[in-house]
Amino acid sequence: MPTERTSSGDPARTLQLLWRDPSTNRRRGPRRGLSIDAVVDAATAIADAEGLDAVTMRGVAKELGVVPMTLYTYVPSKAELLDLMLDAAYARMPRTGTAGQPWRQRVTAVAEENKALYERHPWAAAVSTARPPLGPGQMSKYEHELSGLDGLGLSDVEMDDCLTHLLTFVQACARADADVRAVRHDSALDDQQWWELNAPLLARVLDENAYPTAVRVGAAAGAAHGSAYDPAHAYSFGLQRVLDSFAALIGRSADVKTPTSPHGPDVTAP
């Protein structure tokens, strides 16, 4: 389960910081040129290199070459800092231009953008956003991503449901990918080496006649993917199933044959 979550700090102060309310700049740190953006960039660099647990006010201050108390004139705690970090990451995400493309390509682009986000910032996949940071980065991201589902005859609630389902899937894949990487790093073995080491031990205790389907399917999957779990295959296979489920929902819409979206007449293409 995620150990960090957004919107856990002081809500009024967080929104002031996220939207750069001028009142947040009344107090200045002793170092000339230090800013909220500089603090966020330093914290993000630490998280990218060492993980979110390494992000502390003391550690960020050291990265910036100031005493820890200086940071508190910019950001009150790590809780607010986390919201700023994630919102900044959202704001910097490349936005793929997909106007006029079939809806599957638009939605796939959204998935790929989020996958790329987690590859750039692996720590972001482990953060719970059940209460998202309501900053300009988050809102710009949401507006952009909804455009991939607009004009398909879905209700507003269905659009939000589909986007939530898609983003939850991508985040889950990113977490699983991170787990696989961590296991390989900690064990100093790739999957093939691990199976070669453990297969003889398993063969001694496993009665194949007791689990015929599991043995057959497991062997086939292992041979096909080179391991019990292949993150790249899981993502590509799962994304297609997500798109198929959207197609079923879109197909039931009475308005889907008369799209009014600016994306063009091919929005209903499978």
Side-chain angles (χ1 to χ4, degrees):
M1 296 294 290
T3 58
E4 300 282 356
R5 56 187 175 86
T6 54
S7 298
S8 62
D10 176 64
R13 181 64 169 154
T14 298
L15 287 174
Q16 284 181 323
L17 291 166
L18 285 168
W19 292 92
R20 301 300 192 268
D21 187 317
S23 64
T24 63
N25 294 322
R26 290 175 184 168
R27 298 181 65 191
R28 298 288 185 180
R31 179 178 173 177
R32 184 179 181 182
L34 193 61
S35 65
I36 294 174
D37 290 338
V39 174
V40 171
D41 288 346
T44 300
I46 293 172
D48 289 347
E50 306 176 47
L52 202 54
D53 288 343
V55 177
T56 64
M57 298 299 276
R58 182 177 297 275
V60 175
K62 183 179 179 180
E63 181 77 10
L64 290 167
V66 299
V67 297
M69 286 305 298
T70 298
L71 293 190
Y72 293 102
T73 65
Y74 296 91
V75 182
S77 74
K78 184 178 176 180
E80 292 82 5
L81 179 56
L82 177 59
D83 283 9
L84 289 165
M85 292 167 60
L86 197 58
D87 198 69
Y90 289 162
R92 294 167 182 167
M93 289 174 66
R95 310 286 194 238
T96 306
T98 58
Q101 294 184 7
W103 71 264
R104 279 183 179 261
Q105 291 178 230
R106 300 204 307 268
V107 174
T108 296
V110 170
E112 291 293 321
E113 289 165 359
N114 281 272
K115 183 174 181 288
L117 167 71
Y118 296 132
E119 289 171 351
R120 285 192 299 271
H121 307 296
W123 53 269
V127 176
S128 169
T129 55
R131 293 180 178 176
L134 300 178
Q138 166 71 37
M139 297 310 299
S140 177
K141 179 177 185 289
Y142 187 49
E143 179 75 18
H144 165 72
E145 292 171 346
L146 285 172
S147 69
L149 294 160
D150 197 18
L152 303 180
L154 300 173
S155 70
D156 288 349
V157 173
E158 288 171 334
M159 287 173 61
D160 182 79
D161 286 344
C162 286
L163 180 58
T164 299
H165 182 57
L166 176 72
L167 299 186
T168 299
F169 162 75
V170 177
Q171 186 178 32
C173 285
R175 289 176 180 171
D177 190 17
D179 288 342
V180 169
R181 293 175 186 272
V183 167
R184 290 172 181 170
H185 177 271
D186 293 345
S187 67
L189 297 170
D190 62 27
D191 290 342
Q192 183 175 353
Q193 292 169 327
W194 186 87
W195 278 107
E196 287 175 353
L197 181 64
N198 287 277
L201 303 176
L202 181 62
R204 290 185 210 164
V205 297
L206 178 63
D207 181 359
E208 295 186 3
N209 294 323
Y211 312 99
T213 307
V215 170
R216 187 187 77 245
V217 173
H225 308 313
S227 65
Y229 179 79
D230 176 10
H233 172 75
Y235 171 79
S236 61
F237 177 86
L239 179 58
Q240 293 309 309
R241 304 296 75 75
V242 171
L243 296 175
D244 290 345
S245 70
F246 290 179
L249 184 63
I250 292 167
R252 291 199 299 267
S253 171
D255 298 327
V256 74
K257 293 184 179 179
T258 56
T260 58
S261 168
H263 294 297
D266 61 351
V267 292
T268 60

mmCIF file with all atom_site columns, all heavy atoms in Angstrom, residues 9-22:
data_model
loop_
_atom_site.group_PDB
_atom_site.id
_atom_site.type_symbol
_atom_site.label_atom_id
_atom_site.label_alt_id
_atom_site.label_comp_id
_atom_site.label_asym_id
_atom_site.label_entity_id
_atom_site.label_seq_id
_atom_site.pdbx_PDB_ins_code
_atom_site.Cartn_x
_atom_site.Cartn_y
_atom_site.Cartn_z
_atom_site.occupancy
_atom_site.B_iso_or_equiv
_atom_site.pdbx_formal_charge
_atom_site.auth_seq_id
_atom_site.auth_comp_id
_atom_site.auth_asym_id
_atom_site.auth_atom_id
_atom_site.pdbx_PDB_model_num
ATOM 1   N N   . GLY A 1 9  ? -1.648 17.783 3.972   1.00 0.00 ? 9  GLY A N   1
ATOM 2   C CA  . GLY A 1 9  ? -1.176 18.940 4.715   1.00 0.00 ? 9  GLY A CA  1
ATOM 3   C C   . GLY A 1 9  ? -2.289 19.932 4.977   1.00 0.00 ? 9  GLY A C   1
ATOM 4   O O   . GLY A 1 9  ? -3.484 19.618 4.849   1.00 0.00 ? 9  GLY A O   1
ATOM 5   N N   . ASP A 1 10 ? -1.916 21.146 5.324   1.00 0.00 ? 10 ASP A N   1
ATOM 6   C CA  . ASP A 1 10 ? -2.887 22.208 5.571   1.00 0.00 ? 10 ASP A CA  1
ATOM 7   C C   . ASP A 1 10 ? -3.502 22.623 4.237   1.00 0.00 ? 10 ASP A C   1
ATOM 8   O O   . ASP A 1 10 ? -2.795 23.099 3.343   1.00 0.00 ? 10 ASP A O   1
ATOM 9   C CB  . ASP A 1 10 ? -2.202 23.402 6.223   1.00 0.00 ? 10 ASP A CB  1
ATOM 10  C CG  . ASP A 1 10 ? -3.151 24.571 6.401   1.00 0.00 ? 10 ASP A CG  1
ATOM 11  O OD1 . ASP A 1 10 ? -4.120 24.439 7.158   1.00 0.00 ? 10 ASP A OD1 1
ATOM 12  O OD2 . ASP A 1 10 ? -2.932 25.610 5.737   1.00 0.00 ? 10 ASP A OD2 1
ATOM 13  N N   . PRO A 1 11 ? -4.819 22.448 4.041   1.00 0.00 ? 11 PRO A N   1
ATOM 14  C CA  . PRO A 1 11 ? -5.420 22.691 2.723   1.00 0.00 ? 11 PRO A CA  1
ATOM 15  C C   . PRO A 1 11 ? -5.308 24.130 2.251   1.00 0.00 ? 11 PRO A C   1
ATOM 16  O O   . PRO A 1 11 ? -5.042 24.379 1.069   1.00 0.00 ? 11 PRO A O   1
ATOM 17  C CB  . PRO A 1 11 ? -6.877 22.257 2.911   1.00 0.00 ? 11 PRO A CB  1
ATOM 18  C CG  . PRO A 1 11 ? -7.119 22.303 4.386   1.00 0.00 ? 11 PRO A CG  1
ATOM 19  C CD  . PRO A 1 11 ? -5.815 21.969 5.026   1.00 0.00 ? 11 PRO A CD  1
ATOM 20  N N   . ALA A 1 12 ? -5.502 25.083 3.155   1.00 0.00 ? 12 ALA A N   1
ATOM 21  C CA  . ALA A 1 12 ? -5.434 26.488 2.750   1.00 0.00 ? 12 ALA A CA  1
ATOM 22  C C   . ALA A 1 12 ? -4.023 26.854 2.298   1.00 0.00 ? 12 ALA A C   1
ATOM 23  O O   . ALA A 1 12 ? -3.821 27.485 1.254   1.00 0.00 ? 12 ALA A O   1
ATOM 24  C CB  . ALA A 1 12 ? -5.882 27.385 3.900   1.00 0.00 ? 12 ALA A CB  1
ATOM 25  N N   . ARG A 1 13 ? -3.045 26.439 3.082   1.00 0.00 ? 13 ARG A N   1
ATOM 26  C CA  . ARG A 1 13 ? -1.653 26.737 2.739   1.00 0.00 ? 13 ARG A CA  1
ATOM 27  C C   . ARG A 1 13 ? -1.242 26.011 1.457   1.00 0.00 ? 13 ARG A C   1
ATOM 28  O O   . ARG A 1 13 ? -0.545 26.574 0.608   1.00 0.00 ? 13 ARG A O   1
ATOM 29  C CB  . ARG A 1 13 ? -0.745 26.321 3.907   1.00 0.00 ? 13 ARG A CB  1
ATOM 30  C CG  . ARG A 1 13 ? 0.731  26.594 3.699   1.00 0.00 ? 13 ARG A CG  1
ATOM 31  C CD  . ARG A 1 13 ? 1.016  28.058 3.573   1.00 0.00 ? 13 ARG A CD  1
ATOM 32  N NE  . ARG A 1 13 ? 2.451  28.313 3.624   1.00 0.00 ? 13 ARG A NE  1
ATOM 33  C CZ  . ARG A 1 13 ? 3.038  29.371 3.075   1.00 0.00 ? 13 ARG A CZ  1
ATOM 34  N NH1 . ARG A 1 13 ? 2.301  30.260 2.443   1.00 0.00 ? 13 ARG A NH1 1
ATOM 35  N NH2 . ARG A 1 13 ? 4.341  29.540 3.168   1.00 0.00 ? 13 ARG A NH2 1
ATOM 36  N N   . THR A 1 14 ? -1.696 24.778 1.310   1.00 0.00 ? 14 THR A N   1
ATOM 37  C CA  . THR A 1 14 ? -1.339 24.008 0.122   1.00 0.00 ? 14 THR A CA  1
ATOM 38  C C   . THR A 1 14 ? -1.868 24.667 -1.142  1.00 0.00 ? 14 THR A C   1
ATOM 39  O O   . THR A 1 14 ? -1.148 24.795 -2.136  1.00 0.00 ? 14 THR A O   1
ATOM 40  C CB  . THR A 1 14 ? -1.898 22.577 0.225   1.00 0.00 ? 14 THR A CB  1
ATOM 41  O OG1 . THR A 1 14 ? -1.320 21.921 1.352   1.00 0.00 ? 14 THR A OG1 1
ATOM 42  C CG2 . THR A 1 14 ? -1.570 21.780 -1.022  1.00 0.00 ? 14 THR A CG2 1
ATOM 43  N N   . LEU A 1 15 ? -3.138 25.089 -1.130  1.00 0.00 ? 15 LEU A N   1
ATOM 44  C CA  . LEU A 1 15 ? -3.711 25.728 -2.313  1.00 0.00 ? 15 LEU A CA  1
ATOM 45  C C   . LEU A 1 15 ? -3.018 27.054 -2.615  1.00 0.00 ? 15 LEU A C   1
ATOM 46  O O   . LEU A 1 15 ? -2.826 27.408 -3.786  1.00 0.00 ? 15 LEU A O   1
ATOM 47  C CB  . LEU A 1 15 ? -5.210 25.934 -2.119  1.00 0.00 ? 15 LEU A CB  1
ATOM 48  C CG  . LEU A 1 15 ? -6.057 24.659 -2.204  1.00 0.00 ? 15 LEU A CG  1
ATOM 49  C CD1 . LEU A 1 15 ? -7.511 24.952 -1.863  1.00 0.00 ? 15 LEU A CD1 1
ATOM 50  C CD2 . LEU A 1 15 ? -5.973 24.045 -3.603  1.00 0.00 ? 15 LEU A CD2 1
ATOM 51  N N   . GLN A 1 16 ? -2.633 27.782 -1.577  1.00 0.00 ? 16 GLN A N   1
ATOM 52  C CA  . GLN A 1 16 ? -1.882 29.020 -1.796  1.00 0.00 ? 16 GLN A CA  1
ATOM 53  C C   . GLN A 1 16 ? -0.572 28.732 -2.526  1.00 0.00 ? 16 GLN A C   1
ATOM 54  O O   . GLN A 1 16 ? -0.198 29.437 -3.471  1.00 0.00 ? 16 GLN A O   1
ATOM 55  C CB  . GLN A 1 16 ? -1.583 29.697 -0.463  1.00 0.00 ? 16 GLN A CB  1
ATOM 56  C CG  . GLN A 1 16 ? -2.748 30.424 0.175   1.00 0.00 ? 16 GLN A CG  1
ATOM 57  C CD  . GLN A 1 16 ? -2.332 31.088 1.475   1.00 0.00 ? 16 GLN A CD  1
ATOM 58  O OE1 . GLN A 1 16 ? -1.535 30.549 2.243   1.00 0.00 ? 16 GLN A OE1 1
ATOM 59  N NE2 . GLN A 1 16 ? -2.856 32.277 1.716   1.00 0.00 ? 16 GLN A NE2 1
ATOM 60  N N   . LEU A 1 17 ? 0.099  27.687 -2.090  1.00 0.00 ? 17 LEU A N   1
ATOM 61  C CA  . LEU A 1 17 ? 1.384  27.336 -2.687  1.00 0.00 ? 17 LEU A CA  1
ATOM 62  C C   . LEU A 1 17 ? 1.212  26.802 -4.106  1.00 0.00 ? 17 LEU A C   1
ATOM 63  O O   . LEU A 1 17 ? 1.962  27.162 -5.016  1.00 0.00 ? 17 LEU A O   1
ATOM 64  C CB  . LEU A 1 17 ? 2.097  26.302 -1.814  1.00 0.00 ? 17 LEU A CB  1
ATOM 65  C CG  . LEU A 1 17 ? 2.601  26.795 -0.464  1.00 0.00 ? 17 LEU A CG  1
ATOM 66  C CD1 . LEU A 1 17 ? 2.983  25.620 0.429   1.00 0.00 ? 17 LEU A CD1 1
ATOM 67  C CD2 . LEU A 1 17 ? 3.799  27.723 -0.648  1.00 0.00 ? 17 LEU A CD2 1
ATOM 68  N N   . LEU A 1 18 ? 0.229  25.928 -4.303  1.00 0.00 ? 18 LEU A N   1
ATOM 69  C CA  . LEU A 1 18 ? 0.021  25.330 -5.616  1.00 0.00 ? 18 LEU A CA  1
ATOM 70  C C   . LEU A 1 18 ? -0.287 26.385 -6.673  1.00 0.00 ? 18 LEU A C   1
ATOM 71  O O   . LEU A 1 18 ? 0.199  26.304 -7.811  1.00 0.00 ? 18 LEU A O   1
ATOM 72  C CB  . LEU A 1 18 ? -1.116 24.307 -5.560  1.00 0.00 ? 18 LEU A CB  1
ATOM 73  C CG  . LEU A 1 18 ? -0.806 22.969 -4.886  1.00 0.00 ? 18 LEU A CG  1
ATOM 74  C CD1 . LEU A 1 18 ? -2.097 22.195 -4.650  1.00 0.00 ? 18 LEU A CD1 1
ATOM 75  C CD2 . LEU A 1 18 ? 0.145  22.147 -5.758  1.00 0.00 ? 18 LEU A CD2 1
ATOM 76  N N   . TRP A 1 19 ? -1.092 27.360 -6.303  1.00 0.00 ? 19 TRP A N   1
ATOM 77  C CA  . TRP A 1 19 ? -1.510 28.383 -7.258  1.00 0.00 ? 19 TRP A CA  1
ATOM 78  C C   . TRP A 1 19 ? -0.667 29.646 -7.157  1.00 0.00 ? 19 TRP A C   1
ATOM 79  O O   . TRP A 1 19 ? -0.972 30.662 -7.791  1.00 0.00 ? 19 TRP A O   1
ATOM 80  C CB  . TRP A 1 19 ? -2.989 28.704 -7.069  1.00 0.00 ? 19 TRP A CB  1
ATOM 81  C CG  . TRP A 1 19 ? -3.852 27.540 -7.479  1.00 0.00 ? 19 TRP A CG  1
ATOM 82  C CD1 . TRP A 1 19 ? -4.310 26.523 -6.689  1.00 0.00 ? 19 TRP A CD1 1
ATOM 83  C CD2 . TRP A 1 19 ? -4.308 27.251 -8.807  1.00 0.00 ? 19 TRP A CD2 1
ATOM 84  N NE1 . TRP A 1 19 ? -5.032 25.624 -7.426  1.00 0.00 ? 19 TRP A NE1 1
ATOM 85  C CE2 . TRP A 1 19 ? -5.054 26.039 -8.734  1.00 0.00 ? 19 TRP A CE2 1
ATOM 86  C CE3 . TRP A 1 19 ? -4.179 27.881 -10.039 1.00 0.00 ? 19 TRP A CE3 1
ATOM 87  C CZ2 . TRP A 1 19 ? -5.654 25.466 -9.856  1.00 0.00 ? 19 TRP A CZ2 1
ATOM 88  C CZ3 . TRP A 1 19 ? -4.776 27.313 -11.149 1.00 0.00 ? 19 TRP A CZ3 1
ATOM 89  C CH2 . TRP A 1 19 ? -5.501 26.118 -11.055 1.00 0.00 ? 19 TRP A CH2 1
ATOM 90  N N   . ARG A 1 20 ? 0.409  29.567 -6.385  1.00 0.00 ? 20 ARG A N   1
ATOM 91  C CA  . ARG A 1 20 ? 1.368  30.663 -6.245  1.00 0.00 ? 20 ARG A CA  1
ATOM 92  C C   . ARG A 1 20 ? 0.674  31.966 -5.870  1.00 0.00 ? 20 ARG A C   1
ATOM 93  O O   . ARG A 1 20 ? 0.890  33.020 -6.485  1.00 0.00 ? 20 ARG A O   1
ATOM 94  C CB  . ARG A 1 20 ? 2.191  30.857 -7.518  1.00 0.00 ? 20 ARG A CB  1
ATOM 95  C CG  . ARG A 1 20 ? 2.997  29.639 -7.941  1.00 0.00 ? 20 ARG A CG  1
ATOM 96  C CD  . ARG A 1 20 ? 3.995  29.209 -6.872  1.00 0.00 ? 20 ARG A CD  1
ATOM 97  N NE  . ARG A 1 20 ? 4.938  28.239 -7.410  1.00 0.00 ? 20 ARG A NE  1
ATOM 98  C CZ  . ARG A 1 20 ? 4.789  26.907 -7.361  1.00 0.00 ? 20 ARG A CZ  1
ATOM 99  N NH1 . ARG A 1 20 ? 3.693  26.405 -6.780  1.00 0.00 ? 20 ARG A NH1 1
ATOM 100 N NH2 . ARG A 1 20 ? 5.693  26.094 -7.857  1.00 0.00 ? 20 ARG A NH2 1
ATOM 101 N N   . ASP A 1 21 ? -0.170 31.876 -4.845  1.00 0.00 ? 21 ASP A N   1
ATOM 102 C CA  . ASP A 1 21 ? -0.809 33.069 -4.299  1.00 0.00 ? 21 ASP A CA  1
ATOM 103 C C   . ASP A 1 21 ? 0.287  34.058 -3.905  1.00 0.00 ? 21 ASP A C   1
ATOM 104 O O   . ASP A 1 21 ? 1.249  33.684 -3.240  1.00 0.00 ? 21 ASP A O   1
ATOM 105 C CB  . ASP A 1 21 ? -1.635 32.655 -3.070  1.00 0.00 ? 21 ASP A CB  1
ATOM 106 C CG  . ASP A 1 21 ? -2.480 33.797 -2.512  1.00 0.00 ? 21 ASP A CG  1
ATOM 107 O OD1 . ASP A 1 21 ? -1.961 34.920 -2.417  1.00 0.00 ? 21 ASP A OD1 1
ATOM 108 O OD2 . ASP A 1 21 ? -3.637 33.549 -2.154  1.00 0.00 ? 21 ASP A OD2 1
ATOM 109 N N   . PRO A 1 22 ? 0.167  35.318 -4.315  1.00 0.00 ? 22 PRO A N   1
ATOM 110 C CA  . PRO A 1 22 ? 1.214  36.300 -3.989  1.00 0.00 ? 22 PRO A CA  1
ATOM 111 C C   . PRO A 1 22 ? 1.529  36.393 -2.511  1.00 0.00 ? 22 PRO A C   1
ATOM 112 O O   . PRO A 1 22 ? 2.661  36.730 -2.140  1.00 0.00 ? 22 PRO A O   1
ATOM 113 C CB  . PRO A 1 22 ? 0.622  37.622 -4.511  1.00 0.00 ? 22 PRO A CB  1
ATOM 114 C CG  . PRO A 1 22 ? -0.312 37.215 -5.597  1.00 0.00 ? 22 PRO A CG  1
ATOM 115 C CD  . PRO A 1 22 ? -0.896 35.894 -5.147  1.00 0.00 ? 22 PRO A CD  1
#
